[in-house]
Amino acid sequence: MNDPNGLVYHNGKYHLFYQYYPDGIVWGPMHWGHAESTDLLHWKQLPVALYPDTLGWIFSGSAVIDKHNTAGFGKNAMIAIYTYHNDDIWKAGKKNTESQALAYSLDEGKTWTKYKANPVLNNSGEQDFRDPKVFWHQGTSKWIMALAVGDKIKLFSSQNLKEWQEESVFKPTEKNTELGVWECPDLFSMKTDSGETKWIMIINHGDKGPNGGSCTRYFIGDFDGKTFTQTQNAKWLDHGTDYYAAVTFSNVPNDKKIVLGWMSNWQYATKVPTEVWRSAMTLPRELELIKDKNGYYLNQKMVSQLAAVTKPIFSKANVATPFEKKEIDLSQSEVRFDFSQPTDAMITLSNTKGELFTITIAGNIVVTDRSHSGQTAFHESFAAKPQVMSVEDRITSVQLVLDKSSVEILLNGGKYSMTNLCFPTEAYSEIKIITKDSIALSNFTVNAISRIW
Ligand code: FRU
């Protein structure tokens, strides 16, 4: 699987559709797989929702709940807006390969009917014309679609999801030619604590990210129902190598913004050393819009439901550095602690075979290194370079969520995030923290995370 698609909440359940090729473990003719959950953690696998047809493969897109029956498919229909990708035209090197289409479900996503007059939005001549993210805009009483079109995002509007009108084109003000193909946009509004509203546009890029390959950036700005205007420079949503195609759920109660990313990178996604499964999503994260002295940023917190599957296996109000804990099963775990004072530090996760994953904090630079983390030889770019993130302030708190083959890192309460895959041949079972001078680490906790299957 790759991208999360059609993320939508409906009648007590979160629906996760995803790019899926059921006949292999590498990318191929794409379908929409389907899973649902009541808590965003335990997922029930459901039958494939959308199959390719004569118009093409089913590429990424979004889903909405049509509360006012604007499309005429039925009140509260779940409607998927997706891209048809015609691979024959693509291979022939021609344009007009991609178009947008609708399918609807009247039984909470179990069975789907494709709209008979598909596609609803035809290509305007670009080869890359895909990944519609649609939302209802109160102000204009219209649906708005953000679409990746070549090296820009186009916004379209519609009253019925069937007829679309182009409203505007978004191209960032900063130079961005060095980033790879534009994919999977998102556009939504959020409020700060003090009630200020800003609009956020997420754009994913297939290549040339800050640490190589796929990456996700976001812009903060304003939206008047037609045009998105950025008011500050882009930021990375995650600085690691394995966080891509990230988009938010629609229709979540209390307008919460929950973001899900695909935890891989197109550089090596089809080569990772896995067999019966290939790729996973990140943990769902709840976004907060925060304003500080440098402007606005998105803070990320693992969804609060995570607490229900964690159990402390080691916990101390204070430990002194250097600190080392051996013989602790970190294979599915959460590690948290706070620095009692800013310091340069090195955090090492390792196993009895000497395989290790390191996180180094040096001033305002954070570096992760997986060159000795386990299996790395499957692709030359996987461990070629450490991953580097520069931060605006000193690191005060650390949260690591480990699964068998991933480390999700949130620093300073979620202001900074780095997501990395790693493939140790035996679970990490030791954690070591060294600092420049000996200091105290407070609230040191290791939680075991229980299996969700
Ligand atoms: C992003 C992407 C999308 C496309 C889908 C195809 O990873 O390339 O742009 O719709 O994957 O699987």
Side-chain angles (χ1 to χ4, degrees):
M1 54 158 243
N2 48 287
D3 314 359
N5 295 153
L7 302 178
V8 66
Y9 178 88
H10 187 44
N11 290 345
K13 286 181 187 148
Y14 295 89
H15 292 267
L16 161 57
F17 301 90
Y18 52 92
Q19 286 290 282
Y20 181 41
Y21 176 42
D23 301 319
I25 57 166
V26 292
W27 189 86
M30 283 288 135
H31 300 51
W32 271 27
H34 186 195
E36 65 177 25
S37 170
T38 54
D39 65 359
L40 288 163
L41 293 176
H42 298 83
W43 294 92
K44 185 173 159 204
Q45 201 57 252
L46 295 169
V48 167
L50 298 173
Y51 286 82
D53 59 53
T54 52
L55 290 176
W57 300 351
I58 316 292
F59 267 18
S60 288
S62 50
V64 297
I65 303 303
D66 190 7
K67 294 179 182 159
H68 307 297
N69 196 19
T70 61
F73 298 140
K75 193 167 154 51
N76 290 321
M78 186 184 285
I79 303 182
I81 307 99
Y82 59 91
T83 297
Y84 269 122
H85 171 91
N86 188 314
D87 214 55
D88 296 331
I89 304 182
W90 177 278
K91 285 205 188 93
K94 296 200 193 113
K95 303 197 177 216
N96 301 321
T97 45
E98 293 176 342
S99 56
Q100 320 316 318
L102 307 177
Y104 61 93
S105 169
L106 302 174
D107 57 3
E108 303 193 354
K110 283 187 197 70
T111 58
W112 288 86
T113 307
K114 287 176 182 146
Y115 175 45
K116 57 183 185 320
N118 276 338
V120 294
L121 181 59
N122 257 312
N123 196 322
S124 52
E126 297 269 359
Q127 195 169 34
D128 298 298
F129 184 77
R130 60 176 175 270
D131 307 342
K133 177 72 197 244
V134 174
F135 65 95
W136 179 253
H137 183 251
Q138 291 290 358
T140 52
S141 291
K142 282 184 183 167
W143 297 103
I144 302 291
M145 176 198 290
L147 194 71
V149 182
D151 63 352
K152 53 202 165 303
I153 302 299
K154 283 194 174 181
L155 300 181
F156 297 84
S157 72
S158 172
Q159 261 151 5
N160 55 12
L161 295 169
K162 293 169 173 168
E163 287 135 60
W164 292 92
Q165 183 191 330
E166 188 175 322
E167 294 291 354
S168 61
V169 176
F170 173 67
K171 261 199 109 140
T173 48
E174 56 258 64
K175 243 182 109 238
N176 53 68
T177 40
E178 67 281 4
L179 291 173
V181 62
W182 294 46
E183 301 184 313
C184 303
D186 198 352
L187 179 62
F188 51 90
S189 67
M190 288 188 79
K191 278 193 167 59
T192 61
D193 256 1
S194 64
E196 242 180 299
T197 299
K198 291 303 269 182
W199 285 78
I200 292 99
M201 183 176 283
I202 294 180
I203 307 175
N204 290 273
H205 291 276
D207 199 9
K208 304 198 171 80
N211 286 299
S214 315
C215 60
T216 305
R217 61 177 173 164
Y218 68 92
F219 297 84
I220 303 233
D222 300 317
F223 177 62
D224 62 3
K226 289 174 181 289
T227 307
F228 174 79
T229 311
Q230 88 182 82
T231 53
Q232 61 182 56
N233 283 344
K235 290 183 185 288
W236 301 112
L237 192 56
D238 189 288
H239 298 249
T241 41
D242 301 289
Y243 189 88
Y244 193 55
V247 283
T248 58
F249 277 87
S250 312
N251 203 39
V252 178
N254 306 318
D255 211 22
K256 274 191 191 179
K257 297 297 172 217
I258 295 166
V259 66
L260 202 59
W262 171 52
M263 199 155 48
S264 196
N265 189 312
W266 279 124
Q267 282 187 327
Y268 43 71
T270 60
K271 300 279 192 296
V272 292
T274 60
E275 282 171 15
V276 293
W277 61 280
R278 177 62 63 74
S279 303
M281 299 301 175
T282 60
L283 275 176
R285 304 176 187 176
E286 186 176 340
L287 297 177
E288 293 166 322
L289 177 64
I290 295 187
K291 188 181 188 179
D292 70 3
K293 60 180 191 314
N294 298 317
Y296 299 88
Y297 70 90
L298 291 180
N299 202 67
Q300 303 183 50
K301 287 216 158 73
M302 298 305 179
V303 291
S304 58
Q305 292 91 328
L306 183 63
V309 294
T310 62
K311 194 171 75 224
I313 48 175
F314 179 82
S315 162
K316 276 216 151 113
N318 273 297
V319 297
T321 58
F323 171 77
E324 188 170 26
K325 177 84 189 145
K326 292 191 169 178
E327 293 176 16
I328 186 156
D329 182 6
L330 297 173
S331 63
Q332 289 170 209
S333 65
E334 180 189 27
V335 178
R336 310 182 72 128
F337 60 87
D338 302 322
F339 290 105
S340 58
Q341 61 190 79
T343 181
D344 288 355
M346 187 172 191
I347 305 161
T348 307
L349 308 164
S350 57
N351 60 21
T352 63
K353 293 184 167 177
E355 295 166 344
L356 42 97
F357 181 97
T358 61
I359 304 164
T360 309
I361 299 167
N364 286 27
I365 303 284
V366 180
V367 179
T368 62
D369 189 335
R370 58 185 176 185
S371 55
H372 297 94
S373 59
Q375 294 185 70
T376 60
F378 56 89
H379 193 275
E380 61 197 12
S381 58
F382 182 75
K385 282 192 281 194
Q387 280 109 52
V388 183
M389 158 168 83
S390 43
V391 294
E392 291 167 352
D393 23 42
R394 298 304 307 264
I395 298 304
T396 52
S397 73
V398 174
Q399 179 185 15
L400 312 175
V401 178
L402 283 79
D403 203 342
K404 305 263 177 193
S405 54
S406 56
V407 185
E408 293 183 61
I409 305 168
L410 291 185
L411 303 174
N412 291 8
K415 181 166 183 182
Y416 305 110
S417 79
M418 280 183 113
T419 301
N420 293 302
L421 294 179
C422 57
F423 298 93
T425 59
E426 170 193 288
Y428 294 140
S429 54
E430 301 172 7
I431 178 160
K432 189 155 104 189
I433 300 156
I434 52 174
T435 53
K436 213 157 144 230
D437 303 308
S438 178
I439 63 156
L441 304 175
S442 41
N443 306 317
F444 193 100
T445 309
V446 181
N447 287 319
I449 302 181
S450 54
R451 282 175 64 81
I452 58 157
W453 300 110

